């Protein structure tokens, strides 16, 4: 083979990228038929450092969908941007010692280069970074709209603090008591912070999950995070202090088994109740220790159940019993009312606490062998009227009695807390508020937006916002009364920036509003959203909340942002997650350098079902590269570019087989793409077609070969767009992206014949087209007569003949 005859991905890819760039092929205007408008979106990247394999997979996936939808008749919006503010970019800057403004610009440039090199079909006219003032002006504007509508507020609260990142974190950013970003154990601090009122939307966020086509596991994660539970509020009265203490319980049916009462260390009455008792000092010490610990840690099931008695009792409203009050750190202020009735016979943690503190355990639900027993059963040890009643019925009866006596009512509780959005960090969107000693927190007037992030030299985290040091910026005048005032120095959680970017793409150049309603309603909601499952309860929940809030404020007419969601799996190496610390990171760049972008793109989609984790293999890359080379060579051999891309009339023999195979591949790839994102099996169908082209090339007409090879190019285009374009152009003279997606001829799919796989000792020696009506004996006979089979069975003894009807014959010889 001469050099000109070798598959050279680099020149092919550069050539097509230039065409797309010059002709702005992937740009769409807002002046399109709304019925054809479709929106395909991958989660935008954090530009910190270089793109990694996960990025390649995410964007190759989205690009395949975008191409498929375009050629299926949609006008597709497929934009790109950068989630450029926030900890990833800032930590990268700190590590490299480069100002985040510069390091972010470098990273953005690197992502731009890679996206172009990968040939991702992006509408570049809509690109932006969330760190650009023309974008965050509107992040600030939306924050003020939320403030105006009572959806943003400032409050003193116990908040999660990451000592390493030196900032507060939202509950969603704490996993098992540790910072989601750096893994440091989170501590609790009392701070005055800005919150967004996501809890107002808890029920809608739950119910509307039924309206979106999302993976069930993501819906379950959101449901669990929101954590709606139905139960009752029950009021316990303390005679000594005259106070009522309501608790929330999901098990009012166990109320007769309550033998003690527990308050969270943060409960405002704990210190008051302990005052003057023998335990006062002990209680104080206990409370101080507990409130510095994170909720996740305190709630851990393996933790010893510690606590101190407060020296008082409350009255159980159903039986008048006096039960002792404890303070214990396994009770959290954030859940319910910050106090619980403890029923050790029917609750694991209460049971452990009772054992550790020698408190009585009274079983009130029968049926369980061992305590604690949390199952259903008849009531026991309650009252003669209730005993024997099924506990579920008793639930209703007990709550009704409490309600009649004014001692309780049905109630719903949520795990979800309001979204804490203040960050004590530099690289973020400034919160557009001015603090005046007389007027309080005053919104920056709309015409003064954006509040531009000042360019400070010392941007490192220091426990308070580095912006506090920018005196010229901080000191200002109150927009309301004109006296000296100070700017808010905290910046916003970067998840605020990414909670509305998908709306901005609809109308990115608008400078009088974040978007126009028409533009948003033309494209939104996103038809297909693609990203990592790690965003299930962060970005995906926040974006849904903000969309609902914007709807209620009157900025948009829909209230769910992402109609369909696909979450891709990770690419692992030797079974482990790739990470810099493990030193097992594979950069896409070296593979694109060696094999071209098409091979790298195809491989990350071929590696396995795209929603599953898959392990990287260099041999797998080689295999995909070989397949693309073979397709190229086929096209190169057939190249004379004067045949129409139409199916030739089926002739006989090889033509029929190959044309059937081509239509089978069209059908298979179409179904894999439309229905279930089975890109791996779609790619293998094209591989099969290419193999058949080689296998049948001596038995087929030139026309049938051209049809099959150009069909392979057309079908591989969404995964390997450069080679797909090249093959189709060479064989048909057409631009593949301007062609409609091919349709399988149903007649060619219906088979009165099928391909019989013929094996000798389990090895495939021949494939034959045989009539569907053939008997098993006919199939064996046909297989035995095939030339390639004869060569392996002649002169040998047949041990067994295995027939799988409609598929294969295996002749076992020795
Ligand atoms: Zn951290
Ligand atoms: Zn003022």
């Amino acid at each position: 083979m001469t050099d000109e005859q070798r598959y050279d991905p680099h020149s092919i890819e550069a050539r097509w990228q230039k065409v797309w760039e010059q002709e702005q092929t992937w740009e769409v205007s807002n002046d399109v038929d709304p019925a054809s408008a479709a929106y395909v979106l991958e989660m935008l990247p954090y530009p910190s450092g270089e793109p990694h394999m996960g990025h390649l997979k995410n964007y190759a996936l989205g690009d395949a969908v975008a191409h498929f939808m375009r050629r299926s008749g949609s006008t597709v919006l497929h934009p790109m941007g950068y989630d450029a503010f926030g900890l990833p970019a800032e930590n990268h800057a700190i590590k490299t010692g480069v100002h985040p403004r510069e390091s972010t610009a470098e990273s953005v440039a690197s992502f731009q280069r890679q996206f172009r090199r990968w040939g991702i079909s992006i509408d570049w006219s809509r690109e932006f970074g969330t760190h650009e003032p023309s974008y965050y002006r509107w992040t600030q504007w939306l924050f003020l709209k939320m403030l105006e509508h009572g959806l943003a507020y400032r409050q003193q609260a116990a908040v999660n603090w990451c000592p390493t990142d030196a900032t507060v974190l939202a509950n969603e950013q704490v996993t098992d008591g540790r910072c989601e970003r750096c893994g440091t154990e989170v501590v609790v601090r009392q701070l005055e912070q800005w919150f967004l009122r996501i809890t107002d939307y808890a029920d809608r966020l739950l119910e509307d999950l039924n309206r979106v086509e999302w993976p069930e596991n993501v819906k379950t994660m959101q449901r669990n995070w929101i954590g709606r539970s139905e139960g009752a509020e029950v009021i316990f009265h303390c005679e000594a202090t005259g106070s009522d203490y309501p608790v929330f319980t999901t098990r009012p049916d166990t109320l007769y088994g309550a033998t003690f009462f527990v308050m969270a260390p943060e409960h405002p009455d704990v210190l008051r109740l302990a005052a003057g008792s023998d335990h006062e000092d002990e209680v104080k010490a206990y409370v101080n220790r507990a409130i510095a610990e994170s909720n996740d840690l305190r709630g851990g099931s393996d933790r010893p159940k510690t606590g101190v008695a407060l020296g008082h009792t409350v009255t159980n409203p159903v039986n008048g019993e006096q039960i002792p009050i404890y303070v214990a750190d396994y009770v959290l202020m954030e859940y319910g009312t910050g106090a619980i009735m403890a029923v050790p016979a029917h609750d694991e943690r209460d049971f452990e606490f009772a054992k550790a503190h020698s408190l009585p355990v009274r079983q009130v639900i029968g049926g369980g062998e061992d305590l604690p027993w949390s199952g259903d059963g008849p009531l026991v040890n309650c009252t003669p009227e209730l005993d024997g009643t099924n506990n579920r019925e008793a639930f209703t009866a007990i709550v009704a009695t409490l309600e009649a006596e004014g001692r309780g009512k049905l109630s719903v509780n949520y795990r979800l807390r309001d979204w804490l959005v203040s960050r004590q960090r530099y690289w973020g969107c400034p919160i557009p508020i001015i603090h005046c000693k007389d007027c309080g927190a005053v919104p920056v007037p709309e015409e003064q937006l954006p509040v531009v992030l000042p360019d400070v030299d010392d941007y490192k985290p220091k426990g308070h916002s580095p912006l506090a040091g920018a005196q010229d910026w901080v000191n200002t005048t109150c927009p309301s009364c004109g006296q000296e005032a100070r700017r808010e120095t905290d910046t916003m959680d970067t998840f605020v920036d990414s909670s509305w970017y998908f709306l901005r793409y609809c109308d990115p150049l608008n400078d009088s509003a974040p978007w126009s309603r028409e533009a948003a309603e033309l494209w939104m909601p996103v038809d297909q959203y693609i990203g990592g499952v790690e965003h299930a309860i962060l970005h995906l929940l926040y974006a849904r909340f903000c969309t609902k809030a914007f709807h209620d404020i009157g900025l948009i007419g829909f209230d769910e942002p992402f109609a369909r969601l696909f979450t891709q799996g990770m690419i692992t190496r030797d079974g482990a997650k790739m990470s810099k610390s493990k030193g097992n990171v594979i950069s896409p760049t070296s593979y694109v350098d060696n094999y071209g972008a098409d091979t790298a793109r195809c491989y990350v989609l071929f590696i396995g079902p795209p929603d599953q984790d898959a392990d990287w293999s260099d041999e797998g890359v080689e295999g995909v590269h070989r397949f693309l080379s073979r397709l190229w060579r086929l096209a190169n051999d057939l190249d004379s570019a004067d045949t129409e891309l139409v199916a030739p009339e089926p002739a006989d023999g090889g033509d029929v087989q190959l044309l059937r195979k081509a239509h089978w591949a069209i059908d298979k790839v179409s179904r894999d793409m439309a229905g279930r994102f089975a890109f791996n099996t779609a790619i293998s169908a094209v591989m099969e077609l290419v193999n058949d082209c080689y296998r049948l090339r001596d038995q087929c007409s030139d026309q049938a070969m051209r049809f099959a090879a150009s069909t392979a190019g057309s079908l591989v285009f969404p995964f390997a767009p450069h080679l797909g374009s090249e093959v189709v152009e060479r064989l048909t003279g057409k631009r593949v992206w301007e062609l409609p997606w091919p349709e399988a001829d149903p007649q060619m799919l219906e088979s009165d014949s099928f391909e019989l796989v013929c094996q000798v000792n389990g090895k495939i020696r021949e494939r034959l087209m045989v009539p569907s009506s053939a008997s098993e004996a006919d199939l064996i006979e046909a297989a035995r007569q095939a030339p390639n089979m004869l060569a392996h069975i002649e002169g040998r003894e047949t041990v067994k003949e295995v027939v799988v009807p409609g598929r294969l014959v295996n002749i076992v010889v020795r």
Side-chain angles (χ1 to χ4, degrees), residues 784-795:
R784 296 197 75 103
Q785 295 309 318
N788 282 339
M789 294 289 283
L790 272 177
H792 292 93
I793 55 180
E794 253 180 342

Side-chain angles (χ1 to χ4, degrees), residues 436-440 442 478-483:
C436 166
K437 71 175 172 13
D438 291 334
C439 311
V442 182
C478 171
S480 180
C481 70
Q483 70 174 314

Side-chain angles (χ1 to χ4, degrees), residues 66-79:
H67 279 312
F68 178 70
M69 288 180 74
R70 284 188 193 104
R71 291 182 58 204
S72 303
S74 297
T75 304
V76 175
L77 173 60
H78 187 224

Side-chain angles (χ1 to χ4, degrees), residues 177-207:
R178 292 175 182 278
C179 170
E180 173 247 345
R181 291 229 57 88
C182 71
T184 306
E185 212 164 87
V186 162
V187 298
V188 171
R189 280 199 179 178
Q190 291 285 331
L191 286 173
E192 195 159 6
Q193 302 282 282
W194 288 96
F195 291 85
L196 297 181
R197 219 177 279 281
I198 191 171
T199 53
D200 274 12
Y201 287 80
D203 276 323
R204 276 165 72 189
L205 288 167
L206 272 178
E207 281 159 25

Side-chain angles (χ1 to χ4, degrees), residues 495-515:
F495 282 102
V496 180
D497 308 333
S498 58
S499 286
W500 74 278
Y501 77 104
F502 43 89
L503 286 157
R504 184 65 176 172
Y505 284 141
C506 299
D507 198 9
L509 302 178
N510 196 328
D511 64 0
S512 59
W515 59 79

